[in-house]
């Protein structure tokens, strides 16, 4: 697929003509509410076969062409390169699709074998209903082999709304995590309504993963964590209650998200994790944790100190890195998930645990801050789709910060108040997917479902094959 950034005066009709695609396919893929309303700086996903490649140091057009099985000329033409010898590391190239023209006597099985793919993959890519019916001269797009990753998504939607979302997106998920069962000081768990969501997940072959936490949106949970972690009896009771919920509800694993744990409780938290693993593994359940975005072992602060990356990497089956919330709802306006900071977290994590244990956290919401920002004033949170709608409504040109790889814009509302919006678009999604591929991470974990973001899901399937567990 191609990511196109709208310039002044461009129309959807012009783009469809330029890329030789159906205008409705652009509208549907990006879920545009009005095909006649585009805004400068808006990114669009164009459904044209191909892929993107981020140039690395030392690469040449010849080496890139060899890697993807296309000609140097094809890359030059697709990217309108004026000087093929000038390649800048970090910039993205569009790699056109491999195509094959059907010859007399060829079958789809023979073509698939020649290119090292499958009949099913070619049929799906070219929307061929009957693989036995292909004609001479037909031009087929040959799908490239994609990295296989696992995908998790949390949600704090209601049971009904969550089930509806899973029905729409569950085919793209390996795991699904309703958020969250809260631990109480007596060792009991505050329940959530999750029956419909779990049923929907299982129907879509997404593994239900129980989520356990110590905090709420209004309560840090430090004291609860301390009381629980420091009492062997309460810890045993919690584990008993976890198993009871998992057995009765159909969860296959657990994600433990203890936040704001007191620094002095770090070792107790590690011991509790090991205790959970010792109890759940014999029953066939897996154990994962969610970790605050640390960039070093010595990082100070309540969010970080009790999160022992090395210990979690050793004890848990996999880790979700919570690589988001730099643009905090109560803080000043800034990128919510700056790629520069995400990269630092990943690179530190890789010093103490293997890449195949790591999920990159990916936030899928936007924030709107009032200007000037007043300390403690809460930003409004909504979907990336709503962010673009507001940019269109107020005629605000969308800008893109190349350092954080994040889109933003400013506007003035009807009351004359200034606003600054940071959100996610196709470019920022691709930057995160490139990070996953660069470091060969296990997968992506979304926080949180319920915010429409169609470009992300289109690019996810364009970049990766989603692993489904038996």
């Amino acid at each position: 697929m191609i990511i196109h950034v709208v310039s002044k005066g461009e129309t959807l009709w012009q783009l469809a003509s330029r890329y030789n695609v159906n205008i409705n396919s652009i509208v549907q893929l990006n879920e545009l509410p009005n095909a006649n309303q585009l805004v400068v700086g808006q990114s669009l996903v164009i459904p044209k076969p191909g892929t993107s490649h981020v140039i690395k140091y030392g690469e040449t057009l010849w080496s890139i062409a060899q890697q993807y099985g296309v000609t140097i000329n094809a890359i030059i033409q697709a990217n309108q390169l004026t000087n093929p010898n000038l390649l800048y590391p970090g910039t993205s190239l569009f790699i056109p699709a491999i195509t094959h023209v059907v010859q007399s006597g060829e079958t789809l099985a023979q073509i698939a074998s020649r290119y090292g793919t499958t009949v099913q993959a070619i049929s799906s890519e070219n929307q061929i209903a009957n693989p036995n019916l292909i004609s001479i001269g037909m031009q087929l797009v040959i799908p490239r082999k994609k990295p296989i990753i696992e995908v998790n998504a949390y949600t704090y939607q209601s049971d009904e709304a969550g089930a509806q979302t899973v029905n729409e997106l569950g085919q793209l998920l390996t795991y699904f995590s309703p958020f969250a069962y809260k631990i109480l000081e007596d060792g009991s768990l505050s329940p959530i309504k999750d029956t419909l969501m779990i049923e929907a997940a299982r129907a879509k072959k997404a593994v239900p993963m129980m989520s356990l936490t110590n905090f709420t949106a209004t309560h840090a949970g430090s004291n609860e964590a301390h009381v629980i972690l420091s009492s062997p009896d309460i810890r045993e009771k919690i584990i008993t209650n976890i198993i009871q919920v998992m057995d009765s509800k159909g969860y296959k694993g657990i994600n433990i998200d203890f936040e704001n744990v007191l620094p002095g409780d770090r070792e107790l938290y590690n011991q509790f994790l090991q205790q959970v693993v010792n109890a759940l593994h014999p029953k066939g359940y897996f154990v994962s944790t969610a970790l605050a975005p640390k960039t070093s072992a010595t990082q100070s602060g309540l969010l970080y100190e009790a999160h022992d990356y090395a210990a979690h990497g050793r004890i848990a089956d996999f880790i979700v890195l919570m690589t988001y919330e730099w643009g905090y709802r109560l803080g000043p306006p800034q990128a919510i998930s700056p790629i520069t900071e995400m990269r630092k977290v990943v690179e530190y994590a890789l010093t103490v645990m293997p890449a195949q244990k790591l999920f990159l956290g990916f936030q899928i919401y936007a924030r709107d801050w009032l200007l000037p920002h007043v300390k403690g004033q809460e930003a409004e949170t909504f979907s990336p789709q709503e962010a673009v709608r507001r940019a269109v409504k107020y005629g605000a040109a969308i800008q893109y910060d190349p350092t954080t790889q994040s889109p933003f814009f400013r506007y003035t509302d009807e009351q004359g108040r200034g606003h600054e919006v940071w959100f996610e678009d196709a470019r920022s999604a691709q930057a995160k997917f490139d990070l996953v591929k660069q470091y060969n991470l296990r997968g992506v974990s979304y926080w949180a479902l319920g915010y429409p973001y169609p470009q992300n899901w289109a690019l996810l399937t364009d970049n990766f094959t989603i692993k489904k567990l038996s």
Side-chain angles (χ1 to χ4, degrees), residues 103-265:
Q103 304 298 310
S104 176
E106 280 189 322
T107 67
L108 215 50
Q110 290 171 332
I111 297 169
S113 176
R114 172 178 172 180
Y115 290 99
T117 184
T118 65
V119 170
Q120 183 181 3
I122 297 177
S123 298
S124 176
E125 185 74 30
N126 296 275
Q127 300 178 332
I128 297 173
N130 186 343
N132 297 315
L133 288 178
I134 59 172
S135 56
I136 297 169
M138 180 186 289
Q139 184 165 288
L140 299 174
V141 174
I142 306 300
R144 290 188 176 91
K145 189 175 181 181
K146 305 173 189 176
I148 300 171
I149 65 165
E150 295 179 3
V151 177
N152 173 58
Y154 298 98
T155 190
Y156 50 86
Q157 296 172 279
S158 69
D159 199 17
E160 294 81 4
Q164 182 177 339
T165 302
V166 174
N167 285 330
E168 296 167 0
L169 298 172
Q171 70 276 11
L172 305 179
L173 304 178
T174 312
Y175 308 96
F176 172 68
S177 307
F179 194 84
Y181 284 80
K182 185 179 180 298
I183 56 169
L184 302 178
E185 289 186 10
D186 63 356
S188 60
L189 305 179
S190 180
I192 58 174
K193 292 182 178 179
D194 52 9
T195 304
L196 298 176
M197 289 189 279
I198 293 172
E199 287 177 0
R202 282 154 69 177
K204 292 289 186 177
K205 295 182 170 54
V207 175
M209 179 162 65
M210 181 182 178
S211 188
L212 185 73
T213 194
N214 65 317
F215 73 98
T216 67
T218 57
H219 190 69
S222 301
N223 292 333
E224 285 88 342
H226 175 71
V227 169
I228 288 156
L229 295 174
S230 58
S231 169
D233 289 342
I234 296 177
R235 279 161 38 176
E236 284 290 350
K237 185 177 178 183
I238 285 175
I239 292 171
T240 298
N241 287 329
I242 288 171
I243 292 171
Q244 189 275 323
V245 170
M246 294 176 76
D247 286 346
S248 63
K249 291 292 186 75
Y251 284 111
K252 301 301 180 185
I254 190 168
N255 180 254
I256 300 175
D257 179 12
F258 283 10
E259 300 186 27
N260 308 305
V261 177
L262 298 173
D265 291 335

Side-chain angles (χ1 to χ4, degrees), residues 26 32 76 103 131 138 146 172 229 278 311 319 352 441 447:
I26 303 176
L32 300 176
I76 292 172
Q103 304 298 310
M138 180 186 289
K146 305 173 189 176
L172 305 179
L229 295 174
N278 293 345
I319 307 296
V352 292
L441 303 184
W447 180 269

Side-chain angles (χ1 to χ4, degrees), residues 218-426:
T218 57
H219 190 69
S222 301
N223 292 333
E224 285 88 342
H226 175 71
V227 169
I228 288 156
L229 295 174
S230 58
S231 169
D233 289 342
I234 296 177
R235 279 161 38 176
E236 284 290 350
K237 185 177 178 183
I238 285 175
I239 292 171
T240 298
N241 287 329
I242 288 171
I243 292 171
Q244 189 275 323
V245 170
M246 294 176 76
D247 286 346
S248 63
K249 291 292 186 75
Y251 284 111
K252 301 301 180 185
I254 190 168
N255 180 254
I256 300 175
D257 179 12
F258 283 10
E259 300 186 27
N260 308 305
V261 177
L262 298 173
D265 291 335
R266 173 184 171 119
E267 286 307 317
L268 288 174
Y269 187 18
N270 293 343
Q271 291 168 21
F272 174 68
L273 290 178
Q274 188 63 65
Q275 203 173 341
V276 173
V277 167
N278 293 345
L280 266 58
H281 273 186
K283 293 180 171 292
Y285 294 137
F286 62 83
V287 178
S288 65
T289 66
L291 290 176
K294 292 177 70 166
T295 56
S296 75
T298 57
Q299 189 167 343
S300 60
L302 184 62
L303 278 175
Y304 312 105
E305 291 181 54
H307 281 192
D308 185 338
Y309 269 45
H312 284 241
R314 182 179 68 254
I315 296 166
D317 295 300
F318 59 84
I319 307 296
V320 172
L321 298 175
M322 294 187 284
T323 37
Y324 34 75
E325 284 296 300
W326 280 270
Y328 179 49
R329 60 189 171 86
L330 298 177
Q334 60 178 303
I336 303 167
S337 301
I339 201 75
T340 42
E341 298 303 318
M342 296 174 77
R343 185 181 300 278
K344 291 176 188 175
V345 175
V346 169
E347 289 180 347
Y348 164 59
L350 289 172
T351 65
V352 292
M353 65 182 88
Q356 276 306 299
K357 279 200 174 187
L358 291 174
F359 281 72
L360 185 74
F362 189 156
Q363 130 273 337
I364 48 176
Y365 49 85
R367 289 234 161 100
D368 184 329
W369 285 267
L370 278 172
L371 298 176
H373 175 69
V374 177
K375 187 177 180 180
Q377 187 175 61
E378 184 171 354
E380 186 181 359
T381 301
F382 45 73
S383 71
Q385 288 293 87
E386 171 62 17
V388 174
R389 190 196 68 79
R390 290 190 187 192
V392 170
K393 178 181 177 181
Y394 294 102
I398 294 171
Q399 301 176 64
Y400 192 75
D401 180 31
T403 301
T404 62
Q405 295 283 296
S406 300
F408 69 99
F409 62 90
R410 298 182 183 95
Y411 71 92
T412 302
D413 66 19
E414 292 82 353
Q415 287 78 45
R417 300 176 303 177
H419 292 251
E420 184 167 318
V421 177
W422 288 83
F423 65 110
E424 299 292 326
D425 69 0

